[in-house]
Amino acid sequence: MLDSHKKTILLVEDEAIIALAEKQMLQKAGYEVIHAVSGEKAVRCAADDNSEIDLVLMDIDLGRGIDGTEAALQILRLRDVPIVFLSSHTEQDYVEKTDRISSYGYVVKNSGEMVLLRSITMAFRLHSANRELRRSNAAISGAERRYRLLFENLTAGYALHEMIYDDSGKAVDYRFLDVNPCFERITGLKAGEIIGKTVKEILPETEQYWIDTYDRVVKTGESLSYENYSRELDRYYEVWAFLHDSGQFAVVTSDISERRRAEERLRQQKEYLATTLDAIGDAVISTDRNAKILTMNPVAQNLTGWPLEQARGKALSMVFPIENARTGAVADDPAETVIRNNRTIELDNHTALVSRDGRRLQIADSAAPIRDEKGAVEGVVLVFRDVTEQYRVSREIEDTKNYLESVVESVQEGISVLNDDLTIDRVNSTTYTWFPGESDFTGRKCYSAFRGLTTPCPGCPVLRCFASGKPEMSELQGYAGSPVEWIEAFAYPIIDEETGRVEKVVEFKRDITARKRTELDLREREEEFRAIFENNHAVMLLIDPEDGSIVNANPAACRYYGWDLETLRGMNISRINTLSPEEIAAEMERARTYRKTYFDFRHRRADGSVRNVQVFSGPVKQRGRSLLYSLVYDATEQGMT
């Protein structure tokens, strides 16, 4: 087989002895093995992010609970992992059912070790190939979608051209091969009218420097970025040209005509505002009458994340996007509001600025009109400051208070806050449910209010907590007239940071009536089992089905095998059972064929003698642990059947 590189296989098999044999065979083949005795346990193992599972070897019949097909479906929802079904069924409907779930293999039990190992190897190879195919297809499909999406939605104009040369090799024209919608918008040239035609056919007066520039890109392969003016279109453009293919070049272009005009206006006012803006400690932004940014002082540039050279000429709403800090609703553009109403406005108390780098800053203050000599609005000046920290502290205090209040009221445990004289400061609503008819415990002594006593309760954890300054816990009898028979009380100190003194104690009281009843019931059942186990004259063993270790043995077993209890507890069943894993599997097959309820084995004793035994096994739970109990009968005198 291929080098498994210590791959991990989740073996799902409810028959302990079969699982033991299969586990040993897989480990011998170089695999790590995790064993699950039920479909539910297998699903939980797959859901554990810390478990490494490379393949699942799934039995179909798993006794009680979900079967192997349902467990496989749930595992595949959690992990992309190959599943090989292992079953004694050969009916076509079984095979077809599993094939619809996972097509990595279906192995009939007892097909032999080589068949199973080869099936596992092929499953690994098929899964690897499928994963690589999906990754390859996704990459190709994603690239095509991204290219088309980028092409159609690019906010800059894009055009693909083919350079045209005369017989002497001089560039004389270029042909349009493709353009995007934005290119049509910023040039006014429609794709249906220009694709396949040359620029000289469409714009006969096109300047030669456009052609010469693109020729240099095609011949050198170097990208060029520049700004230029088109006389025929009467527009300024920012252009980035680059080589696309042999003889072809592409351009990404933006219409900068408005920016050029805005820059001219900005230069006229630059000296007027520069000194004032730089001296102000608050952030200041000024706009023209169209709410386009003219100037920003350094504070404003820092808070918005926009350098002045990039923000100048842009709409204020682009550089200064604001929203309601609580609802996230987009706020009105303050510059447009001032221009529309011709008056100063104050920003809302809960206004947040979303900076260019994604920061959300709480801001405050105002926007005012800039008027000319006749009182007409020439622009807007916006003055603001960052109050994020002040707002955060205030909101955090409010949120913490509300959060703690909600937590206290939603907890299904009784909560009391007690002063150092054991008077009640407050209790939560759950506490009142334990005392029908009570409406207010505030100000009363806890021992009087809860128990009708005149002195503190014996073993009171609250008193101990006040004395020690540390958390304390006690189990106490419940309350008279209440369904709560037992409580578990935890006392936690509230300590003054300056004095170190315990000011108050918070007491959490949990109803543990059901748990105490369960503990008593479990204790009684364990005593019954222990009495049966210890006093039974039959040889009895408790075995861990995961690894075959002997967990416990009764006195009859110690006498029969000749080892003391401590020695038996440290042994593995394989040390007693003389059969090989293959012989164990054959014996189990005979038991399955003849529908026996027991197994025939040969067990070795401490004195070296080997006895024929019949072993009756079944599952048992002990303190939440799944074990196998085995009753062993000596069949030496009768002979093996």
Side-chain angles (χ1 to χ4, degrees):
M1 60 171 290
L2 295 177
D3 183 9
S4 61
H5 297 292
K6 283 296 180 183
K7 293 184 181 295
T8 300
I9 293 178
L10 173 59
L11 173 62
V12 188
E13 172 61 65
D14 62 327
E15 293 290 344
I17 298 181
I18 293 177
L20 181 60
E22 291 174 347
K23 182 175 181 180
Q24 291 176 347
M25 180 266 290
L26 292 172
Q27 289 175 335
K28 181 180 177 182
Y31 293 105
E32 297 284 353
V33 180
I34 301 173
H35 178 214
V37 298
S38 67
E40 289 81 359
K41 184 173 181 181
V43 173
R44 288 196 298 272
C45 184
D48 185 357
D49 292 335
N50 295 321
S51 65
E52 295 183 3
I53 300 173
D54 299 298
L55 181 140
V56 180
L57 187 58
M58 177 71 71
D59 188 10
I60 294 180
D61 296 323
L62 295 175
R64 294 183 180 180
I66 62 176
D67 66 6
T69 58
E70 176 59 27
L73 288 171
Q74 294 188 31
I75 289 173
L76 289 175
R77 296 188 192 107
L78 300 170
R79 292 175 179 250
D80 176 19
V81 62
I83 297 180
V84 176
F85 288 97
L86 184 62
S87 175
S88 58
H89 292 282
T90 59
E91 298 90 335
Q92 183 176 355
D93 56 341
Y94 271 85
V95 178
E96 291 177 348
K97 182 178 180 181
T98 59
D99 195 49
R100 289 193 296 270
I101 298 172
S102 174
S103 58
Y104 288 103
Y106 186 98
V107 181
V108 177
K109 287 186 176 181
N110 300 314
S111 296
E113 177 179 330
M114 182 57 67
V115 172
L116 178 58
L117 293 179
R118 291 299 299 172
S119 297
I120 291 173
T121 300
M122 292 305 298
F124 277 126
R125 289 177 176 172
L126 181 58
H127 182 257
S128 177
N130 286 341
R131 179 179 292 175
E132 185 62 32
L133 180 59
R134 289 195 301 270
R135 184 161 48 240
S136 177
N137 289 339
I140 294 172
S141 177
E144 291 177 349
R145 288 196 302 271
R146 288 192 296 273
Y147 172 79
R148 180 47 55 182
L149 187 64
L150 176 64
F151 184 83
E152 295 294 338
N153 295 281
L154 194 65
T155 56
Y158 175 89
L160 179 63
H161 304 287
E162 178 185 47
M163 187 60 69
I164 299 174
Y165 297 91
D166 62 13
D167 294 338
S168 65
K170 179 182 178 181
V172 295
D173 207 346
Y174 57 86
R175 192 184 316 278
F176 287 87
L177 300 180
D178 201 1
V179 297
N180 72 341
C182 184
F183 185 89
E184 294 178 280
R185 289 195 299 272
I186 66 177
T187 63
L189 304 174
K190 302 302 180 184
E193 300 173 358
I194 65 175
I195 292 178
K197 296 182 180 180
T198 70
V199 70
K200 288 292 186 70
E201 291 174 321
I202 301 165
L203 303 171
E205 300 300 320
T206 295
E207 297 86 347
Q208 182 63 32
Y209 59 75
W210 292 98
I211 298 174
D212 293 339
T213 299
Y214 297 145
D215 176 50
R216 188 161 66 252
V217 171
V218 171
K219 288 182 177 178
T220 65
E222 296 179 358
S223 301
L224 295 177
S225 179
Y226 60 97
E227 296 178 2
N228 220 332
Y229 175 73
S230 172
R231 183 171 58 250
E232 288 224 288
L233 297 176
D234 191 25
R235 308 290 290 178
Y236 283 93
Y237 292 100
E238 184 178 43
V239 180
W240 178 45
F242 58 92
L243 183 66
H244 179 267
D245 203 346
S246 177
Q248 295 181 359
F249 66 95
V251 296
V252 178
T253 182
S254 300
D255 184 356
I256 60 170
S257 302
E258 290 302 317
R259 192 192 75 188
R260 282 290 186 94
R261 298 186 183 98
E263 288 174 349
E264 184 62 27
R265 291 192 298 271
L266 286 173
R267 279 194 295 270
Q268 297 174 4
Q269 300 182 33
K270 184 176 180 179
E271 292 299 326
Y272 171 75
L273 296 173
T275 302
T276 303
L277 291 177
D278 291 343
I280 294 176
D282 285 347
V284 180
I285 299 176
S286 65
T287 75
D288 61 16
R289 61 167 59 90
N290 297 314
K292 299 292 180 65
I293 293 177
L294 297 174
T295 59
M296 298 170 65
N297 71 347
V299 179
Q301 295 177 59
N302 178 59
L303 294 182
T304 63
W306 282 85
L308 176 58
E309 60 270 22
Q310 296 181 20
R312 185 180 285 119
K314 289 183 170 56
L316 178 68
S317 60
M318 180 178 180
V319 176
F320 186 75
I322 54 176
E323 59 185 39
N324 186 290
R326 291 182 172 178
T327 67
V330 176
D332 293 335
D333 186 331
E336 292 183 353
T337 303
V338 169
I339 293 169
R340 182 172 61 252
N341 299 321
N342 193 15
R343 65 179 179 84
T344 300
I345 64 168
E346 299 288 333
L347 297 181
D348 185 81
N349 288 336
H350 302 292
T351 300
L353 166 66
V354 182
S355 68
R356 192 179 187 182
D357 57 8
R359 293 175 298 158
R360 296 181 79 255
L361 307 174
Q362 190 76 18
I363 59 172
D365 266 337
S366 62
I370 301 173
R371 298 185 177 92
D372 62 13
E373 295 177 353
K374 297 180 180 180
V377 177
E378 282 285 313
V380 174
V381 60
L382 180 69
V383 181
F384 60 99
R385 63 184 181 276
D386 181 7
V387 294
T388 303
E389 186 60 22
Q390 299 94 306
Y391 183 85
R392 184 193 65 78
V393 172
S394 175
R395 184 64 180 270
E396 188 172 77
I397 292 173
E398 180 181 355
D399 289 348
T400 300
K401 180 180 177 181
N402 294 336
Y403 173 78
L404 292 176
E405 188 71 24
S406 298
V407 170
V408 169
E409 289 305 312
S410 64
V411 170
Q412 298 305 300
E413 298 176 356
I415 300 178
S416 307
V417 180
L418 304 172
N419 299 313
D420 56 2
D421 61 352
L422 299 187
T423 56
I424 300 172
D425 187 79
R426 65 160 296 176
V427 299
N428 69 339
S429 56
T430 299
T431 301
Y432 286 107
T433 65
W434 295 351
F435 298 92
E438 292 287 353
S439 59
D440 190 9
F441 286 123
T442 305
R444 299 166 59 184
K445 300 289 186 179
C446 60
Y447 50 84
S448 173
F450 297 151
R451 298 186 181 276
L453 301 177
T454 58
T455 59
C457 305
C460 174
V462 175
L463 283 177
R464 300 204 312 272
C465 185
F466 272 114
S468 68
K470 299 178 180 179
E472 301 286 351
M473 187 274 285
S474 294
E475 286 189 2
L476 304 173
Q477 290 284 346
Y479 305 112
S482 169
V484 181
E485 299 176 4
W486 285 91
I487 62 172
E488 193 172 53
F490 296 84
Y492 294 90
I494 300 176
I495 300 176
D496 186 290
E497 293 183 357
E498 294 183 358
T499 65
R501 178 176 173 272
V502 179
E503 290 189 326
K504 297 178 186 294
V505 166
V506 181
E507 185 180 38
F508 295 82
K509 288 168 286 190
R510 180 183 302 156
D511 182 1
I512 60 171
T513 303
R515 191 187 80 189
K516 295 291 286 187
R517 291 175 178 172
T518 301
E519 288 175 354
L520 291 173
D521 184 57
L522 287 175
R523 191 175 298 117
E524 291 177 0
R525 290 179 180 274
E526 287 188 0
E527 289 299 328
E528 291 175 0
F529 179 84
R530 184 178 296 108
I532 294 172
F533 187 84
E534 295 292 337
N535 300 316
N536 203 309
H537 293 291
V539 176
M540 300 180 71
L541 299 173
L542 284 180
I543 301 172
D544 189 333
E546 294 287 342
D547 57 13
S549 60
I550 298 174
V551 177
N552 204 355
N554 69 346
C558 296
R559 291 192 297 270
Y560 179 74
Y561 289 110
W563 283 293
D564 58 33
L565 179 59
E566 183 178 354
T567 302
L568 277 173
R569 284 177 176 171
M571 293 171 58
N572 192 284
I573 192 64
S574 61
R575 184 174 171 185
I576 292 175
N577 196 328
T578 63
L579 300 184
S580 67
E582 293 77 10
E583 290 173 322
I584 293 175
E587 177 62 21
M588 293 186 66
E589 177 60 18
R590 285 195 293 273
R592 185 190 70 80
T593 303
Y594 296 109
R595 301 187 181 278
K596 291 182 180 179
T597 59
Y598 61 88
F599 300 103
D600 290 325
F601 292 122
R602 291 173 61 80
H603 280 189
R604 180 184 295 107
R605 299 195 294 185
D607 61 7
S609 62
V610 176
R611 307 290 291 181
N612 298 329
V613 296
Q614 292 178 340
V615 180
F616 295 78
S617 291
V620 66
K621 285 277 189 178
Q622 190 177 62
R623 297 181 182 178
R625 187 178 179 185
S626 296
L627 301 173
L628 286 177
Y629 73 88
S630 295
L631 297 177
V632 182
Y633 293 97
D634 193 315
T636 302
E637 302 304 326
Q638 294 85 0
M640 300 293 284
T641 58

